[in-house]
Amino acid sequence: MAGAPGHVVLVGLMGSGKTTVGRRLARRLDRPFVDADEEIERASGRTVAALFAERGEDGFRSVEADVLADLVARSDPTVVAAGGGVVVTEANRALLASPGVFVVWLDGSPAFLASRAKPKPHRPLLEGEDPRTVLSRLHAQRAGLYREVADLVVDVEPFHREGERSKARLAEHVADRVRHHEDVTVEQPAP
Ligand code: S3P
């Protein structure tokens, strides 16, 4: 018996390509796509930068957790590009580990990610410090947490290095793994 389609959540550090890959993946799986940072801004009526400035990182994390809980509760299977720090909140890790959620960790070396992660208003953690230093620190802090929740880990470096075609291959690779996972998931009868 085929498993029901569920949510797919992309996690990984800034610069790993969660949004780009997520959009392509959603098209391939024919599911809606949601960028969690955009959803946080919509739900709170504030920009990510304003949330950090007015409520600090803890305030931002609390809105992020509410938004993730709402996204995972949707009945419509959805592809979500999470913010890079989604895994630091324990409640989020528990949600990501739930059975209807397939988590993909897009990984790469801090140096490579730093070469891609553009400083943007929604990335206050990159302000005023060398991105390589920030991403090395975050990679050391978070790699174990990403690993804890991931159903699939992809090294994105070769894909991003080779241009547009290889981005399409990356999305197709992830889509294949999701389809395979959903084909082989057999619902267990209630005890
Ligand atoms: C963050 C990553 C950002 C955004 C916020 C915090 C992080 O998202 O959620 O600035 O803690 O790594 P992206 O990874 O989509 O840039």
Side-chain angles (χ1 to χ4, degrees):
M1 185 170 78
H7 301 304
V8 181
V9 181
L10 303 175
V11 301
L13 290 176
M14 297 176 271
S16 57
K18 300 178 295 279
T19 303
T20 323
V21 175
R23 279 189 210 288
R24 288 171 182 267
L25 178 64
R27 276 203 298 274
R28 282 181 154 71
L29 294 174
D30 196 22
R31 296 179 198 180
F33 171 75
V34 177
D35 179 86
D37 287 326
E38 283 177 18
E39 195 58 23
I40 287 167
E41 298 193 335
R42 205 192 52 73
S44 68
R46 292 187 152 59
T47 63
V48 170
L51 280 171
F52 267 80
E54 291 165 19
R55 304 189 196 164
E57 183 170 342
D58 286 353
F60 168 78
R61 295 289 169 216
S62 145
V63 180
E64 182 180 50
D66 290 346
V67 164
L68 182 72
D70 285 349
L71 289 174
V72 168
R74 286 187 181 186
S75 53
D76 209 8
T78 300
V79 175
V80 177
V86 73
V87 291
V88 303
T89 306
E90 199 179 340
N92 292 347
R93 297 201 297 279
L95 276 177
L96 294 174
S98 48
V101 183
F102 188 81
V103 179
V104 183
W105 174 20
L106 301 182
D107 192 25
S109 69
F112 179 75
L113 298 175
S115 72
R116 285 182 33 90
K118 307 266 171 298
K120 290 186 183 163
H122 82 279
R123 291 176 170 161
L125 297 177
L126 288 182
E127 268 166 33
E129 219 180 339
D130 177 11
R132 213 167 151 143
T133 310
V134 177
L135 288 164
S136 294
R137 184 171 62 236
L138 294 179
H139 198 276
Q141 289 169 350
R142 295 175 181 173
L145 304 176
Y146 291 134
R147 193 167 297 117
E148 184 186 316
V149 296
D151 297 293
L152 171 67
V153 183
V154 183
D155 175 5
V156 296
E157 293 197 25
F159 290 104
H160 286 315
R161 279 216 172 98
E162 290 162 21
E164 283 310 304
R165 245 216 195 128
S166 63
K167 285 192 183 58
R169 271 200 296 124
L170 171 54
E172 192 47 40
H173 171 66
V174 176
D176 273 350
R177 296 297 298 266
V178 171
R179 291 186 199 108
H180 177 74
H181 168 80
E182 292 176 350
D183 278 350
V184 298
T185 301
V186 176
E187 305 244 330
Q188 298 296 322

